């Protein structure tokens, strides 16, 4: 059964959406026909997109979600696969009364896998995809390899990113290992050729989680441009989202607004 219920306002307009036993927590800001759907990575939540929301909200409605078991969303009975997370987002998009206009799905890290599946499994659900720091590089498809790369990447990040990331990982709960497994067994390289909407790939110049060769492979499979953010690592849209926002807006032909 589908269910949309308001929650106590914490920020913006916050609601919950439940479908198939899994819950999304949804925060909205901005208005207009264009919708930016923000999907976080493993161990994170919608709050890591705070700066990106600020940058994008002058240009449309921004919808940031907590996936099941992350942030404020309830822990599901079973850990959803990447495919099931995509199905949940598709159900949410189908249930909401969206204004006419494009929906741009933006996924960071594991969220890029969810966004790609959403576009591939549910044609017409979104009009464009943006993959920021796309995972999982097939050359490092193990928890140990991924955690090692992430730890190395965090060396270039700011204390703000480290503090926020640590808090969100704690909120992700005791099932993070199983959530990591769900991410690692998914093979995004098999999904990209099935994505028919326009795309954009963004990586931080210093991102060791998503090396240049892998991101070029992703961009080629999506038939999409690749933009590299100078001086940034894997968490490029957390530390300073302005460069990533400019790349997203430029891809849409939109002039950024100073915030």
């Amino acid at each position: 059964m589908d269910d949309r219920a308001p929650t106590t306002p914490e920020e913006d307009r916050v609601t919950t959406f439940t479908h198939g036993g899994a819950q999304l927590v949804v925060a909205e800001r901005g208005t207009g026909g264009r919708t930016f759907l923000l999907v976080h990575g493993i161990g994170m939540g919608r709050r890591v997109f705070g700066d990106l929301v600020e940058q994008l909200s002058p240009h449309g409605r921004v919808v940031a979600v907590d996936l099941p078991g992350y942030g404020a969303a309830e822990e599901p009975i079973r850990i959803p696969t990447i495919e099931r997370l995509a199905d949940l987002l598709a159900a949410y998009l189908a249930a909401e009364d969206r204004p006419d206009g494009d929906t741009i799905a933006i996924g960071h890290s594991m969220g890029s896998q969810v966004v790609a599946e959403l576009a591939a499994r549910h044609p017409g659900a979104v009009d464009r995809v943006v993959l920021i720091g796309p995972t999982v590089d097939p050359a490092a498809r193990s928890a140990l390899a991924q955690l090692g790369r992430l730890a190395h990447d965090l060396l270039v990040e700011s204390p703000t990113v480290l503090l926020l990331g640590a808090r969100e990982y704690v909120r992700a709960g005791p099932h993070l290992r199983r959530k990591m497994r769900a991410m690692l067994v998914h093979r995004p390289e098999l999904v990209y050729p099935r994505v028919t909407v326009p795309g954009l790939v963004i990586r931080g110049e210093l991102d060791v989680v998503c090396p240049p060769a892998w991101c070029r492979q992703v961009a080629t499979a999506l038939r999409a441009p690749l933009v590299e953010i100078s001086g940034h690592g894997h968490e490029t849209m957390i530390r300073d989202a302005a460069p990533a926002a400019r790349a997203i807006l430029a891809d849409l032909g939109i002039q950024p607004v100073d915030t």
Side-chain angles (χ1 to χ4, degrees):
M1 178 178 179
D2 293 352
D3 168 47
R4 290 178 59 84
T7 65
T8 302
E10 301 171 16
E11 58 181 16
D12 310 320
R13 301 179 297 276
V14 183
T15 59
T16 62
F17 175 80
T18 303
H19 175 80
Q23 183 189 74
L24 291 175
V25 174
V26 183
E28 302 179 40
R29 186 186 302 182
T31 59
R34 183 183 298 109
T35 298
F36 298 98
L37 173 66
L38 309 185
V39 184
H40 61 80
I42 191 162
M44 296 294 177
R46 73 183 193 275
R47 293 181 183 278
V48 302
F49 287 118
D51 191 22
L52 188 58
V53 171
E54 291 283 348
Q55 301 287 333
L56 295 179
S57 57
H59 306 282
R61 188 173 68 115
V62 183
V63 177
V65 302
D66 284 333
L67 295 172
Y70 294 96
E74 294 178 357
E75 194 74 50
I77 296 175
R78 296 182 180 85
I79 302 300
T81 63
I82 297 296
E83 291 86 350
R84 295 288 79 80
L85 292 175
D87 293 345
L88 176 61
L89 287 176
Y92 163 73
L93 292 172
E96 70 165 352
D97 184 19
R98 281 182 291 166
D100 292 336
D102 287 350
T103 296
I104 301 96
I106 303 170
H108 171 247
S109 198
M110 181 193 74
S112 72
Q113 297 171 242
V114 179
V115 161
E117 277 288 356
L118 173 61
R121 289 170 68 84
H122 300 277
V126 299
D127 301 284
R128 186 177 293 263
V129 296
V130 178
L131 311 187
I132 305 176
T135 52
V136 175
D137 176 8
R141 203 189 302 277
S142 74
L144 186 60
Q146 287 294 307
L147 290 172
R149 285 186 175 187
L150 182 59
H152 186 270
D153 184 88
L154 289 175
L155 294 175
V156 306
E157 297 295 355
S158 69
T160 299
V161 171
L162 295 175
L163 182 61
L164 181 57
R167 185 185 71 179
E168 292 299 329
Y169 268 84
V170 170
R171 288 163 64 104
H175 305 299
L176 194 57
R177 182 175 178 179
R178 285 192 287 159
K179 295 170 183 176
M180 174 73 78
R181 175 170 173 76
M183 180 187 82
L184 294 174
V185 299
H186 181 251
R187 295 188 173 268
E189 68 271 20
L190 303 180
V191 178
Y192 299 141
R194 295 165 35 222
V195 175
T196 59
V197 298
L200 172 66
V201 180
I202 300 176
R203 76 174 293 271
E205 174 193 22
L206 306 177
D207 187 350
V208 297
V209 178
C210 304
W214 163 240
C215 289
R216 287 193 295 269
Q217 181 181 334
V218 175
T220 298
L222 287 174
R223 304 164 298 281
L226 169 61
V227 174
E228 193 168 81
I229 306 298
S230 177
H232 282 238
H234 188 60
E235 312 298 342
T236 180
M237 76 326 145
I238 299 177
R239 178 156 57 102
D240 173 14
R246 285 194 295 269
I248 294 167
L249 295 173
D251 190 59
L252 295 169
I254 300 172
Q255 182 68 31
V257 173
D258 292 335
T259 57

